């Protein structure tokens, strides 16, 4: 980042017109994109930064990285949680400034765990499990488009994700092995959280936003099987954690 751009970011206040883009909520968005979008929304709410959520059928193609979600703030467009965290930090808004170097390294390690396990598991279930792909993923992903484009785009996406799964060593896994990976990830998160309200005690960080986005979405999204959600439900402190963030940052307290 250039010095001129950094000065511009710091000196420009967060606008009320800041917008987050994601696919259509009711008919199109899939588990992994919904989780990633919710994580960013949670992070921005924890920072006290207002953002309007806008659903677009072509949000994936509007994104500069092809990843969901992305935000439009002033004349800046930034996609995915990591770059968005860096963007808000440059504007003087950070949730992890109070952490020391060891804690910050630990936080990054757990965020990598979530992305490598939970996000990858979501993608696997969406596109590598034949029943889920046929009943949910392909119909929802292609819903805004007419035939034959709808079929072409859906199968192209499925091919891309399956190629990625092969590249990261997940292509040969069974569904049960994926569920066990999710269980081990949740066990590690549960042990780190313990009885604390957040992963680093009393104040949330971007790790809390990321974990909430994925766990809450898994718990509330209809799939062909409830097995994925059941693995999370066996960890009572993770359920309490999700409920705490939902109540603190997403429920309307004016009513």
């Amino acid at each position: 980042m250039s010095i001129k751009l950094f000065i511009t970011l710091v000196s420009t206040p967060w606008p009320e017109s800041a917008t987050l883009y994601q696919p259509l909520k009711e008919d199109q968005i899939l588990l992994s994109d919904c989780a990633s979008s919710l994580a960013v929304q949670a992070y921005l709410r924890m920072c006290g930064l207002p953002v309007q959520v806008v659903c677009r059928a072509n949000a994936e193609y509007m994104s500069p990285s092809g990843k969901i979600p992305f935000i439009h703030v002033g004349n800046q467009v930034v996609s995915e949680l990591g770059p968005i965290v860096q963007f808000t930090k440059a504007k003087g808004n950070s949730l992890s400034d109070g952490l020391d170097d060891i804690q910050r390294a630990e936080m990054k390690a757990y965020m990598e765990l979530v992305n490598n396990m939970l996000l990858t598991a979501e993608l696997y279930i969406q596109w590598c499990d034949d029943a889920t792909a046929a009943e949910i993923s392909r119909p929802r992903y292609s819903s805004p488009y007419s035939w034959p484009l709808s079929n072409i785009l859906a199968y192209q996406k499925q091919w891309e994700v399956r190629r990625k799964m092969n590249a990261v060593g997940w292509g040969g896994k069974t569904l049960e092995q994926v569920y066990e990976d999710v269980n081990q990830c949740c066990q590690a998160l549960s042990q780190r959280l313990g009885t604390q309200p957040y992963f680093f005690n009393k104040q949330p960080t971007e790790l809390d936003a990321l974990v909430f986005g994925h766990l809450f979405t898994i718990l509330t999204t209809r799939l062909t099987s409830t097995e994925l959600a059941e693995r999370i439900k066996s960890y009572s402190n993770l359920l309490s954690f999700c409920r705490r963030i939902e109540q603190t940052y997403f429920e309307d307290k004016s009513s």
Side-chain angles (χ1 to χ4, degrees):
M1 183 184 298
S2 68
I3 294 176
K4 183 178 180 180
L5 177 57
F6 179 79
I7 293 173
T8 301
L9 288 176
V10 171
S11 61
T12 306
W14 187 271
E16 291 292 329
S17 60
T19 307
L20 179 147
Y21 289 89
Q22 66 176 35
L24 304 178
K25 187 172 183 180
E26 297 301 324
D27 305 315
Q28 182 190 24
I29 196 168
L30 298 180
L31 172 64
S32 58
D33 285 342
C34 189
S36 297
S37 180
L38 184 59
V40 170
Q41 291 176 57
Y43 172 76
L44 294 175
R45 289 183 182 223
M46 289 170 179
C47 289
L49 300 173
V51 68
Q52 177 186 2
V53 178
V54 174
C55 298
R56 291 282 187 270
N58 63 337
E60 180 181 357
Y61 303 102
M62 293 169 62
S63 170
S65 68
K67 300 288 183 63
I68 300 297
F70 69 94
I71 58 172
H72 184 197
V73 182
N75 62 352
Q76 301 289 318
V77 178
V78 190
S79 61
E80 301 180 85
L81 179 61
I84 289 170
V85 168
Q86 295 304 314
F87 177 76
T88 62
K89 282 184 178 180
K91 295 182 75 66
N93 296 280
S94 174
L95 297 178
S96 54
D97 276 353
L99 303 184
D100 60 32
D101 290 344
I102 295 175
Q103 290 174 319
R104 195 170 287 111
E106 186 181 8
M107 179 189 72
K108 289 180 179 178
Y110 276 96
M111 292 182 75
E112 282 293 310
L113 176 69
V114 172
N115 286 323
N116 290 339
M117 289 294 186
L118 292 186
L119 178 57
T120 308
E122 291 160 4
L123 289 168
Y124 178 99
I125 291 167
Q126 284 168 189
W127 296 109
C128 298
D129 175 53
D130 290 335
T132 305
E135 295 177 32
I136 297 175
S137 303
R138 288 199 300 268
R140 284 185 64 86
Y141 184 82
S142 63
S143 63
Y145 308 101
S146 57
W147 188 90
L149 181 60
S150 57
N151 268 22
I152 294 170
L153 291 176
Y155 279 101
Q156 179 182 347
K157 184 67 175 182
Q158 185 170 12
W159 179 79
E160 288 174 359
V161 173
R162 289 190 172 189
R163 185 176 64 172
K164 178 182 178 180
M165 293 298 108
N166 286 328
V168 298
W170 281 53
K173 288 194 177 189
T174 65
L175 201 52
E176 185 56 39
Q177 287 173 323
V178 171
Y179 289 144
E180 184 53 34
D181 284 341
V182 170
N183 186 63
Q184 290 181 12
C185 179
C186 289
Q187 185 177 21
L189 293 171
S190 176
Q191 290 175 349
R192 179 61 184 84
L193 181 64
T195 58
Q196 301 177 122
Y198 302 108
F199 283 97
F200 291 92
N201 203 5
K202 296 181 180 179
Q203 296 298 324
T205 65
E206 48 264 41
L207 172 62
D208 297 278
L210 179 65
V211 173
F212 170 76
H214 285 279
L215 296 187
F216 187 87
T217 303
I218 290 171
L219 289 167
T220 56
T221 299
R222 182 186 68 85
L223 296 171
T224 56
S225 166
T226 62
E227 186 64 30
L228 190 61
E230 291 301 322
R231 298 299 173 110
I232 298 171
K233 288 178 181 178
S234 61
Y235 298 96
S236 59
N237 64 337
L238 294 181
L239 295 179
S240 298
F241 166 83
C242 288
R243 185 65 183 136
R244 182 179 304 112
I245 291 181
E246 181 190 22
Q247 287 178 327
T248 304
Y249 295 103
F250 287 89
E251 290 189 350
D252 185 2
K253 296 180 175 60
S254 62
S255 57

